[in-house]
Structures are given as C-alpha cells and as structure tokens.
C-alpha cells in the first residue's frame, strides 16, 4: 500500500474548520450572545485559517491539483518561509487559535474541528512532511516536425512507410525495369 500523506487531510480539515469558525463567529456576533467577544475573535481566526490553508501543498507523488485562484495565496504563504512551511508550527498555531473559540457554544464545533486539524498536522510533521508550493508549469512549445506540416498523400488506411508502394515519380532517375521483357535478337 502507498504511504498516506497526512498533510493533505490536515489541509482539508483545517480549511473546513476555518469556515466553521467563521460561520459560528458570525452567528455569535449577530446574535449578541453572552461572550460575543469570543465570537468576534472566531471570525478573525476563521478568516486567518482560511487564508493560510487555502493554497494546497504539492504532493510527494506530484499529482497535485491546485485550487482555483490559489496562486496569489501561495505567494503570500511562501513569503513567510519556514513559519508557514513547517507543519510543527502549523500544528501549534492551530492548537493555540482554537482555544478561545471553545468558550462559546456557537464556535465550539469550529474549535473541535481545528483541534483535530492540529493533531493531524502534528502527525504529518512527525512523519517528516512539509509544505511545498504548487507552481504553475510553463510549457515550452516544441517545433512542429516536417512530417506533420505536409498533409498525407494516401487516403486511409495507410500502411506503414516500408510497406507502401513507391510511385514512379518518387524513384530518382531510374526507370522501372520489367524483368520479363521480350527482346528482339
């Protein structure tokens, strides 16, 4: 079996946690619940977590698919260097961010989800994974071969070149010699 890439799961979990924190925080602030300041904190923490987790990391196999519009976020995350690339830092950051959200019922689910993401990031860090940016590939065009520029002369199906009959015009300078010719002697 293949090796599980824990960071991929942690990224999805943390992004969902950020959205849940944001939603719970908006509900807590809009409802003016007791301790709504924790909800306001959760809105800010949810936005921060979503911005940090939106760019996906490149997988070890190289089969990564970037999220739509992640390039600008990738540049921002890449700019902070080891603070955002190291999964130990992310694990402890998410663990610290989730604590104040646990003091209010509206943000408790986001707190628990972010705590789980923190544990998964810790598992990824222990296994030696780290964040690698997905950079867009610049494809260089190869010159078009001469065989493609000229259209085919024969209708399909075309036999391979070595089995094709040679046309008389294509033979250089030699005429066709009929081996059975009647000569007057």
């Amino acid at each position: 079996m293949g090796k599980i890439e824990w960071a991929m799961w942690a990224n999805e979990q943390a992004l969902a946690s950020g959205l849940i924190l944001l939603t719970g925080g908006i509900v807590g602030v809009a409802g003016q619940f007791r301790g709504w300041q924790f909800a306001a904190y959760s809105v800010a923490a949810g936005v921060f977590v979503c911005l940090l987790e939106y760019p996906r990391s490149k997988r070890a196999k190289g089969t990564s698919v970037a999220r739509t519009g992640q390039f600008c976020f990738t540049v921002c995350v890449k700019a902070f260097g080891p603070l955002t690339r190291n999964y130990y830092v992310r694990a402890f950051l998410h663990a610290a961010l989730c604590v104040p959200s646990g003091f209010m019922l509206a943000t408790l689910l986001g707190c628990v989800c972010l705590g789980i993401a923190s544990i998964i990031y810790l598992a990824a860090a222990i296994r030696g994974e780290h964040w690698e940016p997905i950079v867009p590939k610049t494809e260089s065009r190869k010159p078009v071969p001469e065989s493609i520029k000229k259209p085919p002369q024969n209708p399909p199906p075309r036999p391979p070149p070595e089995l094709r009959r040679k046309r008389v015009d294509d033979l250089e300078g030699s005429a066709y010699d009929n081996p059975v010719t009647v000569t007057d002697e």
Side-chain angles (χ1 to χ4, degrees):
M1 282 188 63
K3 181 182 146 190
I4 294 176
E5 293 186 39
W6 291 95
M8 178 181 66
W9 297 104
N11 177 263
E12 296 295 330
Q13 178 73 27
L15 184 61
S17 304
L19 293 172
I20 294 168
L21 267 178
L22 180 65
T23 305
I26 290 171
V27 168
V29 171
Q32 290 293 308
F33 295 155
R34 194 170 348 128
W36 64 270
Q37 294 86 358
F38 291 115
Y41 165 80
S42 294
V43 169
V47 168
F48 175 73
V49 168
C50 287
L51 292 176
L52 178 65
E53 296 296 333
Y54 188 72
R56 280 189 179 134
S57 175
K58 184 165 52 171
R59 295 183 65 196
K61 284 197 274 184
T63 57
S64 308
V65 178
R67 288 190 175 104
T68 305
Q70 96 169 24
F71 181 71
C72 59
F73 296 110
T74 301
V75 171
C76 295
V77 170
K78 195 168 122 178
F80 286 100
L83 287 177
T84 53
R85 289 182 185 210
N86 190 341
Y87 286 148
Y88 282 113
V89 173
R90 284 195 188 195
F92 293 120
L93 177 68
H94 290 330
L97 284 174
C98 79
V99 171
S101 301
F103 294 113
M104 186 174 191
L105 187 59
T107 58
L108 186 62
L109 180 61
C111 167
V112 171
C113 290
L114 196 58
I116 292 170
S118 173
I119 292 169
I120 299 171
Y121 265 131
L122 187 61
I126 289 171
R127 285 173 174 75
E129 298 178 29
H130 63 282
W131 188 82
E132 282 293 324
I134 299 175
V135 289
K137 296 178 185 174
T138 55
E139 295 181 16
S140 60
R141 291 189 154 240
K142 297 177 185 174
V144 179
E146 287 296 321
S147 62
I148 295 176
K149 288 182 183 176
K150 291 190 326 185
Q153 302 296 325
N154 301 336
R158 295 179 193 93
E162 58 273 359
L163 297 178
R164 291 184 195 151
R165 273 195 304 178
K166 304 290 183 198
R167 295 186 321 171
V168 176
D169 299 339
D170 291 341
L171 298 175
E172 296 179 18
S174 65
Y176 178 72
D177 293 331
N178 189 355
V180 184
T181 55
V182 179
T183 58
D184 293 331
E185 290 188 25

